[in-house]
Amino acid sequence: MSDMVVVRKEGLFCVPGQFYIDPWRPVDRAVITHAHGDHARVGHGHYLSAASGVNVLRSRLGEIHIDGLEYGERIVHNGVTVSLHPAGHVLGSAQVRMEHRGEVWVASGDYKVEPDRTCVPFEPVRCDTFITESTFGLPIYRWQPEQEIFDDINAWWRKNADEGRASVVFAYSFGKAQRILSGLDPSIGTIICHGAAEPINRVYRAGGVALPPTVLVTDVDKAAIRRAIVIAPPSAGNSTWMKRFGDYSDAFASGWMQLRGARRRRGVDRGFVLSDHADWPGLMTAIRATEAPRVIVTHGSIPIMVRWLRQVGLDASGFDTEYGDEDEAVEAAVAAQAPAPDGTPDGTPEDSPEVTDA
């Protein structure tokens, strides 16, 4: 029996269904697992995503021809039964289940198994072949409980506020920013969001996600700034926009912050280890839960994960894909297409959306 999903130059292709999953070049029909820029791109003829991800995709890609599918709802396309299931990554993220002639494949997209307040938790889906990411596919990556990280962020913010210094957290504008917001204690001070994150905040709130009140920096007086926490994309780090905060303390939130060298290269005061991807135990838990005898590993630590999975008795191999952290030039191009929500010129560093998500 031939493989149900293969890699073509356009992306992952479901052969019997004649559609692509998160293609990186324009195609007629694309099933999108989530709205991060390395998985959701402009130019496709028709998009299909989880219903909860439709407005996120529209906010980032503009006017597109898209249909939304509720989690667990099934449709049949060219003889392939397709359904979408929660991936626990960001709002609207989904795994793609494909069934054809009694065989089941699942493409995970990006996922994490730890629940958070901003998206539906990961749902294991039994299958014959599981296509998994491996962004943090090394045994060294093991996350602390989410609440411990939020407690650390709030304690750091409170200390800075008491000393009259703004706290700046660099975090990607879609997904990571909203997750951090969900854990902040608004009694400490004002929460300022960069213009790249605020439109996504509105989409999350409209989708029923509880986030504390946020404002743009133009709406805050200087006295309030000294007790504020600022959520900004990494691209804002060296921009003139940052001068508004005076003597601030800064931090970076990412799974990569577990590595001391990554913290040093970022040159920030603090590194908070918070990722929307599964750590090593999470990857192993998810793979076991599918009960799939065959696993295909994509973007990340492919050789190491493949070797480990083979050692535990699975039929494992890898797919070479174009997923992963995007080049900042791509993000600048995206920024130039969208008007800034706070009235500043299009494409300036203040408004460059960050679409990577580690």
Side-chain angles (χ1 to χ4, degrees):
M1 185 177 295
S2 59
D3 286 349
M4 192 184 306
V5 177
V6 298
V7 180
R8 289 187 172 180
K9 67 180 186 299
E10 297 86 357
L12 300 185
F13 182 65
C14 178
V15 178
Q18 295 291 294
F19 60 81
Y20 287 85
I21 304 163
D22 294 347
W24 42 84
R25 290 180 177 81
V27 300
D28 289 338
R29 302 191 70 86
V31 179
I32 304 298
T33 63
H34 65 287
H36 278 131
D38 56 332
H39 290 258
R41 309 195 184 196
V42 296
H44 307 315
H46 181 272
Y47 295 73
L48 177 70
S49 77
S52 55
V54 168
N55 288 335
V56 184
L57 282 159
R58 283 183 169 145
S59 74
R60 297 172 69 74
L61 301 182
E63 286 303 314
I64 54 176
H65 182 200
I66 185 169
D67 289 320
L69 202 62
E70 296 294 340
Y71 289 130
E73 181 183 354
R74 296 188 175 193
I75 60 170
V76 178
H77 184 73
N78 288 343
V80 177
T81 300
V82 178
S83 57
L84 304 178
H85 302 264
H89 179 56
V90 291
L91 180 64
S93 61
Q95 304 170 79
V96 183
R97 181 186 185 275
M98 296 154 282
E99 183 174 356
H100 181 67
R101 296 180 178 176
E103 186 179 9
V104 177
W105 283 51
V106 171
S108 71
D110 291 340
Y111 66 91
K112 69 174 180 296
V113 298
E114 180 188 21
D116 76 53
R117 309 166 196 180
T118 64
C119 60
V120 179
F122 176 86
E123 174 189 296
V125 181
R126 292 185 179 181
C127 55
D128 300 298
T129 300
F130 183 53
I131 304 173
T132 178
E133 64 139 313
S134 61
T135 303
F136 292 103
L138 293 173
I140 61 171
Y141 292 111
R142 296 169 187 268
W143 310 145
Q144 290 176 259
E146 175 189 81
Q147 190 57 52
E148 292 182 11
I149 304 300
F150 290 156
D151 290 344
D152 286 347
I153 293 174
N154 283 316
W156 169 75
W157 176 20
R158 186 177 291 105
K159 180 178 183 293
N160 290 332
D162 290 344
E163 295 173 355
R165 303 172 71 199
S167 303
V168 178
V169 180
F170 294 112
Y172 297 116
S173 300
F174 166 44
K176 187 68 62 59
Q178 292 72 37
R179 189 177 177 195
I180 291 172
L181 286 173
S182 75
L184 293 181
D185 178 0
S187 70
I188 299 172
T190 301
I191 303 173
I192 299 172
C193 265
H194 187 278
E198 195 60 26
I200 307 298
N201 295 344
R202 291 195 288 270
V203 174
Y204 268 65
R205 291 184 180 108
V209 178
L211 299 178
T214 55
V215 295
L216 294 170
V217 67
T218 50
D219 300 326
V220 183
D221 60 39
K222 290 185 178 179
I225 286 177
R226 287 196 293 269
R227 290 195 62 85
I229 190 168
V230 182
I231 309 298
S235 61
N238 295 318
S239 70
T240 55
W241 186 80
M242 295 300 302
K243 294 180 180 178
R244 312 179 197 204
F245 306 111
D247 179 27
Y248 60 83
S249 179
D250 58 4
F252 196 90
S254 170
W256 302 116
M257 290 299 100
Q258 187 162 319
L259 301 179
R260 186 176 304 170
R263 293 196 296 271
R264 185 173 59 251
R265 284 192 297 274
R266 283 290 177 181
V268 292
D269 298 329
R270 291 291 302 272
F272 295 111
V273 183
L274 186 69
S275 179
D276 292 325
H277 295 262
D279 60 2
W280 176 264
L283 289 167
M284 296 303 111
T285 296
I287 291 169
R288 284 194 300 268
T290 68
E291 299 184 7
R294 183 183 182 193
V295 179
I296 300 174
V297 183
T298 69
H299 61 302
S301 304
I302 296 176
I304 291 171
M305 268 193 63
V306 167
R307 189 180 311 121
W308 173 260
L309 295 173
R310 286 175 177 172
Q311 287 176 355
V312 297
L314 296 177
D315 177 7
S317 58
F319 270 167
D320 186 14
T321 68
E322 295 187 14
Y323 307 132
D325 287 355
E326 286 195 339
D327 188 275
E328 289 188 0
V330 175
E331 303 197 11
V334 174
Q337 298 172 9
D342 59 359
T344 53
D346 295 356
T348 61
E350 290 94 315
D351 308 294
S352 298
E354 293 281 347
V355 290
T356 50
D357 63 302

